[in-house]
Amino acid sequence: MGFVSNTNNNNNKALLSKIATNDGHGENSPYFDGWKAYETDPFHRTTNPDGVIQMGLAENQLCFNLIEDWIRRNPAASICTAEGVSEFREVALFQDYHGLPSFRHAIAKFMEKARGGKARFDPDRVVMSGGATGAHELITFCVADPGDAFLVPSPYYPGFDRDLRWRTGVELIPTPCKSSDDFKITRESLESTFEDAKSSGINVKGLLITNPSNPLGTILDRETIRDILSFATEKKIHLVCDEIYAATVFDKPEFVSVSEVLDEANTTFDRELVHIIYSLSKDLGVPGFRVGVVYSYNDDVVRCARKMSSFGLVSSQTQRLLSAMLSDEEFTSNFIAESARRLCSRRKAFTSGLARVGISCLEANAGLFCWMDLRRLLREATEEAEMELWRMIVSDVKLNVSPGSAFHCAEPGWFRVCFANMDDSTMEVALKRIRTFVFRCRKRWQLKLRLSFSSSHRLEDASMTPGVMSPRSPLVRAAT
């Protein structure tokens, strides 16, 4: 069945709800447009070597062999094998929204291990959800009403605009962080944004932070977490801590979870305002399993979230397999350590390749991506110039990287580029393309420099004309 035309689609909007047809999903963001470009022309080493390389997807594909080896050695963990089929009936029948006890215990233990054993989690506070996307929406439904707002330090993950806003009616207010301070969250910026919102009549209901950060790949130090907890307690607003990259920390300093700070002696923070979002998509590298967790220190939120989780449960088959895998202490310890080693090695290889052509990235020690600084390649320090550069990178260089403006970054010229969702050879192809592009840019700069001494303004203007995408460019199609 073919797609309906845009005209018919617009006419049929009247038949659909306002939630279904509003722009809250954020699909028109360049973050998603880059994905469309990749899907239209995906790179393949042999069948499409000139296609778009996907560097906009934060997936951890570096340790699949470890999981595959475990599955081969533990066939009874799956009900789809001869060794596990005897439990098919029990697993296939209805399971309530509390989830399998063995699964909740295994998740709690894995969360502790991902935080270096320095925090403790109660399995009875683990609420399941369909991935981190579902978990974010779930906690938002529980603590905020339409029209309420969350403060979010920026740059932040573009999907938050969809996850927290689209169906809940809640607003997100970016709290800008500066490159001059390595994009660190400051109490001053939180206070300023909070007061501005308050003076505009906006009811700020919460603060959302990501630790480790997406897109920065940095972690919060203990003192910053204390400041954030103090701020939330004083303002009596909820603190939602996205910690889905906790086990991707691959270098010093060590990760500090909000749960670890809450457990410190003599703290006066209001624990009932704190909620943690977790997932196995990044730390274990299984986003397709759709395993998300809301962990709240508030009993009422736990009860409410558990009832609402009926709309996004994790399948009992997935729960059973993962409860067996995550209960294997030797496997999880080895996996976390080896994943960190491989992430560290991959980031070093990638950033070293960028450094050879003068491209730097923000110093970081976590995540599946780099926050790449291309400010020197902009024709001017504006969002428009950033978008021009981004279009050239996607359409001409054939790399799907994500522009900082999609992450609400206040400073043009920063890009998120993912490095853990490909093999070594694909990374080398990507680096070769980047090097070629930078050399081409340098030649253009040299030409501009020579022409700047020319009296012909016509020639000078021509040399400064930015690259224009072909009408056949996938980005052009994505925008129409």
Side-chain angles (χ1 to χ4, degrees):
M1 183 177 70
F3 290 106
V4 297
S5 68
N6 286 337
T7 301
N8 289 338
N9 190 44
N10 291 333
N11 292 337
N12 288 336
K13 275 191 174 183
L15 300 176
L16 303 178
S17 70
K18 292 179 180 178
I19 290 180
T21 56
N22 68 26
D23 293 327
H25 182 277
E27 188 178 19
N28 296 324
S29 161
Y31 175 74
F32 291 108
D33 274 349
W35 283 37
K36 297 170 189 175
Y38 166 75
E39 290 167 357
T40 304
D41 185 25
F43 169 84
H44 189 277
R45 192 180 312 156
T46 54
T47 61
N48 191 23
D50 296 323
V52 177
I53 295 177
Q54 174 64 289
M55 305 189 82
L57 179 61
E59 282 187 342
N60 186 357
Q61 298 185 18
L62 302 183
C63 289
F64 273 157
N65 67 304
L66 303 182
I67 297 177
E68 291 165 353
D69 288 345
W70 185 91
I71 291 174
R72 292 188 188 97
R73 290 185 282 104
N74 296 271
S78 171
I79 59 173
C80 298
T81 62
E83 292 83 354
V85 72
S86 61
E87 294 191 34
F88 173 83
R89 178 186 294 271
E90 180 182 351
V91 173
L93 293 175
F94 175 76
Q95 304 287 341
D96 71 21
Y97 43 65
H98 288 79
L100 300 178
S102 59
F103 175 71
R104 288 188 286 109
H105 279 79
I107 281 281
K109 285 295 183 184
F110 188 73
M111 289 175 66
E112 293 174 2
K113 184 164 288 189
R115 290 151 181 81
K118 295 176 291 185
R120 293 291 177 264
F121 295 98
D122 181 356
D124 290 334
R125 292 190 176 277
V126 171
V127 180
M128 294 183 304
S129 182
T133 292
H136 275 291
E137 186 182 62
L138 180 58
I139 192 64
T140 306
F141 269 128
C142 287
V143 304
D145 293 312
D148 289 343
F150 274 77
L151 306 183
V152 191
S154 63
Y156 65 77
Y157 168 55
F160 285 159
D161 292 321
R162 170 200 62 201
D163 301 352
L164 280 78
R165 294 176 59 245
W166 185 22
R167 301 195 298 184
T168 66
V170 168
E171 296 298 323
L172 300 186
I173 303 176
T175 301
C177 300
K178 302 176 181 178
S179 63
S180 58
D181 195 25
D182 293 331
F183 294 101
K184 292 178 181 176
I185 302 172
T186 65
R187 179 67 179 261
E188 291 75 19
S189 64
L190 293 175
E191 291 281 0
S192 176
T193 308
F194 180 86
E195 291 303 324
D196 287 347
K198 187 176 178 181
S199 64
S200 299
I202 300 174
N203 182 33
V204 176
K205 203 64 182 290
L207 166 63
L208 168 63
I209 62 171
T210 58
N211 183 33
S213 168
N214 176 10
L216 304 178
T218 55
I219 62 175
L220 299 179
D221 58 57
R222 191 178 301 272
E223 197 56 41
T224 299
I225 296 175
R226 288 184 183 130
D227 282 344
I228 291 170
L229 282 166
S230 176
F231 174 80
T233 298
E234 290 178 15
K235 305 300 182 185
K236 293 181 172 57
I237 62 174
H238 293 276
L239 175 60
V240 178
C241 304
D242 181 315
E243 296 187 350
I244 68 173
Y245 290 94
T248 69
V249 177
F250 50 77
D251 204 352
K252 301 290 184 182
E254 294 181 348
F255 176 68
V256 179
S257 169
V258 67
S259 55
E260 182 181 343
V261 178
L262 282 177
D263 288 341
E264 292 176 344
N266 302 319
T267 58
T268 58
F269 309 126
D270 190 342
R271 299 169 65 92
E272 294 198 342
L273 294 172
V274 181
H275 323 282
I276 296 173
I277 301 299
Y278 191 59
S279 164
L280 297 180
S281 298
K282 314 302 182 182
D283 285 356
L284 196 62
V286 289
F289 279 18
R290 309 310 301 149
V291 177
V293 168
V294 173
Y295 187 92
S296 176
Y297 290 89
N298 186 308
D299 292 342
D300 291 333
V301 169
V302 171
R303 283 191 290 268
C304 176
R306 186 153 284 146
K307 288 186 293 184
M308 297 188 74
S309 69
S310 315
F311 296 98
L313 296 177
V314 180
S315 78
S316 53
Q317 178 181 354
T318 300
Q319 291 184 57
R320 184 180 181 279
L321 173 65
L322 289 176
S323 63
M325 183 183 298
L326 299 183
S327 297
D328 187 333
E329 296 282 345
E330 181 179 1
F331 167 77
T332 54
S333 295
N334 291 339
F335 181 92
I336 290 174
E338 181 61 17
S339 177
R341 188 192 67 78
R342 295 184 188 184
L343 286 171
C344 185
S345 176
R346 174 58 66 86
R347 180 185 166 92
K348 285 181 179 178
F350 186 72
T351 54
S352 294
L354 294 177
R356 293 191 191 103
V357 290
I359 296 176
S360 62
C361 297
L362 183 71
E363 284 294 323
N365 67 327
L368 313 174
F369 31 71
C370 297
W371 191 233
M372 184 169 62
D373 184 1
L374 297 185
R375 287 177 292 180
R376 292 196 306 166
L377 300 186
L378 298 181
R379 62 175 176 81
E380 60 183 16
T382 64
E383 183 177 331
E384 290 74 18
E386 177 183 275
M387 293 305 296
E388 289 173 6
L389 178 60
W390 171 73
R391 291 188 186 100
M392 282 191 284
I393 293 173
V394 177
S395 299
D396 301 338
V397 189
K398 297 294 188 73
L399 299 177
N400 175 30
V401 300
S402 306
S405 55
F407 297 80
H408 299 272
C409 183
E411 301 177 25
W414 293 89
F415 292 77
R416 192 193 75 169
V417 54
C418 301
F419 57 74
N421 63 331
M422 63 191 73
D423 57 25
D424 290 338
S425 63
T426 303
M427 182 191 71
E428 289 302 327
V429 173
L431 285 171
K432 182 178 180 180
R433 292 183 184 183
I434 293 172
R435 287 194 290 269
T436 301
F437 177 66
V438 171
F439 290 146
R440 195 173 73 198
C441 287
R442 285 176 178 170
K443 289 182 179 179
R444 187 182 301 129
W445 294 337
Q446 293 170 355
L447 176 62
K448 288 180 183 179
L449 184 62
R450 290 195 299 269
L451 291 175
S452 67
F453 293 100
S454 170
S455 59
S456 174
H457 293 290
R458 180 179 61 82
L459 287 176
E460 180 177 350
D461 292 341
S463 73
M464 294 181 68
T465 300
V468 179
M469 289 187 297
S470 163
R472 292 175 296 182
S473 164
L475 264 74
V476 173
R477 292 200 297 273
T480 59

